[in-house]
Amino acid sequence: MTARDPVADLRRIAFLLERANEATYRVRAFRSAAKTLAGLAAPEVAERARTGKLTELTGVGDVTARCVVESLAGEEPVYLRRLVATEGTDLDAAATALRTALRGDCHTHSDWSDGGSPIEEMALAAVELGHEYLVLTDHSPRLKVARGLTADRLRAQLDHVAAVNDALPKGFRILTGIEVDILADGSLDQDEELLARLDVVVGSVHSGLNDDRAKMTRRMLAAIANPHLDILGHCTGRMVSSRPAGVKGPGDRAHRPRTRAESDFDADAVFAACAEHGVAVEINSRPERQDPPKRLIRRALEAGCRFAINTDAHAPGQLDWQRFGCERAALCGVPADRVVNTWKAERLVRWAATRR
């Protein structure tokens, strides 16, 4: 039988484990093995597989070695076959139509902040999913626990993204962005000059989540009125379960609570402001967030808001979590023409630039 590509099979397994919300150590085992083998010539990999010496390599264990042997023999690895056979349920028609309409993802993270993978890996996974663009939105400087980007690091990232874009397949591009902290006074945690250079700016509250209703509302309204803000991220800050696999940094702390209540704010005032200023409300697809809850999605829809169905992905496999956001959006009757990431990249960038 014709040999398969063992590196591609290992990466596919890691992707499916991430998507299935499996433990980080399992994902890391397959990504580490793939990285090690990708640095070797194919004849050496084949010889090590033949002589049983794959596990002598750093990052290759018994399970990953067995997958490589099966792949080189032309067989779909058993581990991969089982993952594919136990994938999740199909989307209903409305959610499928909405997912099909999406052209990109406006909220993603890389290992420049608290993500687990390089920008290049995130981009290539997005290409494989059929995206036309990926907005890179690593954290801003005040969120030190997530390695938020200082102004200098963000400038360096912009140069890096430009270089990566030159090497990516034609028809796909990484859009520049940031998930900027909304500070206590409603200001945005990055230099205005830099915010003006970015394609898309997502703003989220990460601190003071227990502020009283009046204070939180003032804070959010001030941020929404800022012309640099394009998308209001995970607006309630709630957590309905523990953080999934593949996330480094604050999500891995043992003392992190499994759940977190919603922040209290005047939703009608906030969504009216979003509609007035043209700020899109994020429908965050992360399984542990499901933010905003469906009752607030419906209120934002009634207020005339636009939406962005984003994954907030911190690993390549999590980019396929948009299905979860689409399910919730479809249940609430959100039409595709109200979702900004159904637009082509040029229209999305033009919309954000006009807000500036």
Side-chain angles (χ1 to χ4, degrees):
M1 296 178 67
T2 304
R4 294 166 61 94
D5 181 347
V7 173
D9 281 342
L10 291 171
R11 286 175 173 161
R12 182 61 180 168
I13 290 170
F15 179 94
L16 293 174
L17 288 171
E18 288 166 345
R19 188 171 72 177
N21 194 9
E22 290 288 346
T24 302
Y25 75 88
R26 287 199 178 99
V27 176
R28 189 176 294 127
F30 287 94
R31 289 214 178 274
S32 296
K35 184 177 181 180
T36 296
L37 296 180
L40 301 177
E44 180 180 349
V45 175
E47 177 63 15
R48 284 182 174 275
R50 186 185 68 80
T51 58
K53 295 183 177 180
L54 283 170
T55 54
E56 294 178 0
L57 296 168
T58 301
V60 180
D62 290 338
V63 174
T64 51
R66 185 161 58 250
C67 291
V68 172
V69 170
E70 292 167 345
S71 185
L72 289 173
E75 304 169 3
E76 183 178 43
V78 172
Y79 201 110
L80 176 57
R81 192 159 64 244
R82 287 174 179 163
L83 282 173
V84 171
T86 57
E87 284 187 280
T89 57
D90 293 336
L91 298 177
D92 66 22
T96 298
L98 190 51
R99 174 64 187 86
T100 301
L102 297 181
R103 296 177 182 270
D105 193 331
C106 295
H107 185 172
T108 67
H109 296 275
S110 76
D111 61 2
W112 281 63
S113 65
D114 64 339
S117 295
I119 295 169
E120 294 85 343
E121 283 191 21
M122 297 295 289
L124 290 174
V127 171
E128 291 174 3
L129 287 171
H131 287 336
E132 297 174 16
Y133 55 85
L134 179 80
V135 185
L136 179 63
T137 56
D138 280 324
H139 288 287
S140 62
R142 295 283 184 96
L143 203 62
K144 296 187 188 312
V145 72
R147 297 182 62 238
L149 272 60
T150 63
D152 285 343
R153 289 185 67 217
L154 180 54
R155 290 188 185 95
Q157 186 181 80
L158 295 180
D159 292 339
H160 183 73
V161 167
V164 172
N165 270 333
D166 288 340
L168 288 172
K170 186 177 180 181
F172 179 88
R173 62 189 281 204
I174 302 170
L175 300 181
T176 60
I178 192 169
E179 184 184 11
V180 65
D181 263 28
I182 296 174
L183 302 178
D185 62 356
S187 60
L188 304 184
D189 178 32
Q190 190 50 273
D191 293 353
E192 289 204 358
E193 170 266 329
L194 273 173
L195 293 177
R197 288 179 57 187
L198 300 174
D199 292 321
V200 177
V201 174
V202 177
S204 306
V205 174
H206 288 106
S207 60
L209 293 167
N210 294 323
D211 282 351
D212 65 57
R213 179 182 179 88
K215 184 176 181 180
M216 182 63 78
T217 301
R218 286 194 301 271
R219 181 181 184 183
M220 296 174 76
L221 292 178
I224 291 164
N226 189 311
H228 294 297
L229 184 69
D230 304 311
I231 298 171
L232 178 64
H234 48 72
C235 63
T236 77
R238 76 173 186 172
M239 292 286 182
V240 296
S241 64
S242 60
R243 188 181 295 273
V247 184
K248 300 193 303 181
D252 286 339
R253 291 182 296 172
H255 64 273
R256 189 182 186 285
R258 291 183 60 82
T259 61
R260 183 168 63 215
E262 299 172 23
S263 294
D264 189 18
F265 59 91
D266 185 337
D268 291 333
V270 166
F271 295 146
C274 285
E276 177 186 353
H277 293 283
V279 172
V281 175
E282 177 181 76
I283 297 176
N284 190 291
S285 301
R286 293 191 70 85
E288 84 278 22
R289 283 195 181 275
Q290 300 178 38
D291 194 2
K294 292 192 291 293
R295 73 179 195 284
L296 292 186
I297 295 176
R298 294 188 183 100
R299 286 167 74 174
L301 184 64
E302 292 167 1
C305 294
R306 289 192 173 104
F307 297 89
I309 301 176
N310 298 329
T311 61
D312 194 355
H314 287 65
Q318 296 174 7
L319 289 169
D320 207 20
W321 283 353
Q322 277 183 318
R323 57 186 284 123
F324 303 136
C326 289
E327 287 174 333
R328 294 170 55 246
L331 285 171
C332 296
V334 175
D337 62 7
R338 295 273 285 275
V339 180
V340 299
N341 45 331
T342 64
W343 300 344
K344 289 182 176 292
E346 293 76 13
R347 182 181 176 188
L348 180 69
V349 171
R350 189 168 59 249
W351 165 73
T354 301
R355 295 202 66 259
R356 307 281 183 269

